[in-house]
């Protein structure tokens, strides 16, 4: 009888690593509230005439759902504005650091160049004026970034709430 080859032990497969990074939160522009249902004319129990208690219960449920959705929209919108404000602060900081070191080097060079043809104090004054113009341009660029981030108000959510109020008012008249 021929001898059978010994079987090699089978190692279990290593588990795949779980994803460690969470997906980024959606931007306010990507938020689409779920479609709103038209108010029902029948009671939740299915009868034709809804009792006042059933209507109040349904109103309470729909109002709390709407409030949660509006709060989520406001949260997303404020996160986006805070992100823009953070970018603006970073731009200001980078401009300040670059300006400091660039100014130090260029001041010495510019004054030295102008000193060959002009009086030293006048050379320094010309360089100072040019630096102030550059600082003004950088400040205007930073101001533009801040204006895009302010006011920190969830404008989309406020507009949505206003539309909801108008919808409720018009539904109540019918």
């Amino acid at each position: 009888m021929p001898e059978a080859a010994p079987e090699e032990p089978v190692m279990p497969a290593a588990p795949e690593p779980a994803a460690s990074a969470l997906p980024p939160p959606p931007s306010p522009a990507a938020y689409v509230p779920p479609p709103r249902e038209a108010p029902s004319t029948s009671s939740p129990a299915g009868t034709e005439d809804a009792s006042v208690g059933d209507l109040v219960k349904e109103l309470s449920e729909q109002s709390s759902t709407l409030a949660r959705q509006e709060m989520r929209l406001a949260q997303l919108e404020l996160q986006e504005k805070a992100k823009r404000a953070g970018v603006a602060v970073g731009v200001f900081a980078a401009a300040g650091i670059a300006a400091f070191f660039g100014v130090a080097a260029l001041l010495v060079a510019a004054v030295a160049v102008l000193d060959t043809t002009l009086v030293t104090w006048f050379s320094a004054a010309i360089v100072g004026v040019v630096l102030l113009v550059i600082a003004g341009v950088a400040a205007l660029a930073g101001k533009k970034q801040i204006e895009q981030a302010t006011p920190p108000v969830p404008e989309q959510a406020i507009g949505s709430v206003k539309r909801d109020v108008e919808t409720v008012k018009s539904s109540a008249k019918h």
Side-chain angles (χ1 to χ4, degrees):
M1 254 173 103
E3 289 187 31
E7 285 187 29
E8 292 183 26
V10 176
M11 299 294 287
E16 293 185 24
S20 61
L22 295 174
S27 70
Y31 177 77
V32 177
R36 296 191 175 115
E37 298 177 11
S40 65
T41 56
S42 63
S43 71
T47 62
E48 287 299 316
D49 295 324
S51 70
V52 173
D54 290 338
L55 292 174
V56 169
K57 179 182 174 187
E58 186 177 342
L59 175 65
S60 173
E61 290 171 357
Q62 290 178 353
S63 297
S64 63
T65 300
L66 179 62
R68 281 192 300 275
Q69 290 172 349
E70 297 297 351
M71 290 300 292
R72 180 66 181 149
L73 176 61
Q75 178 186 14
L76 290 172
E77 198 171 341
L78 288 175
Q79 285 174 346
E80 184 69 27
K81 290 200 178 229
K83 182 179 174 183
R84 283 187 178 269
V87 169
V89 169
V91 169
F92 272 130
I97 291 169
F100 177 76
F101 290 111
V103 167
L106 291 176
L107 279 175
V108 173
V111 172
V113 166
L114 291 174
D115 192 34
T116 60
T117 59
L118 302 171
V119 183
T120 305
W121 69 266
F122 192 64
S123 302
I126 291 172
V127 171
V129 168
V130 170
L131 290 174
L132 289 174
V133 169
I134 293 170
V137 170
L140 289 175
K143 181 181 179 224
K144 182 179 178 183
Q145 288 290 322
I146 289 291
E147 287 173 350
Q148 289 178 352
T150 56
V153 177
E155 295 162 350
Q156 292 176 354
I158 290 172
S160 179
V161 168
K162 287 180 180 179
R163 285 190 304 276
D164 294 341
V165 169
E166 289 301 317
T167 302
V168 169
K169 284 181 181 179
S170 67
S171 295
K173 291 178 183 179
H174 296 263

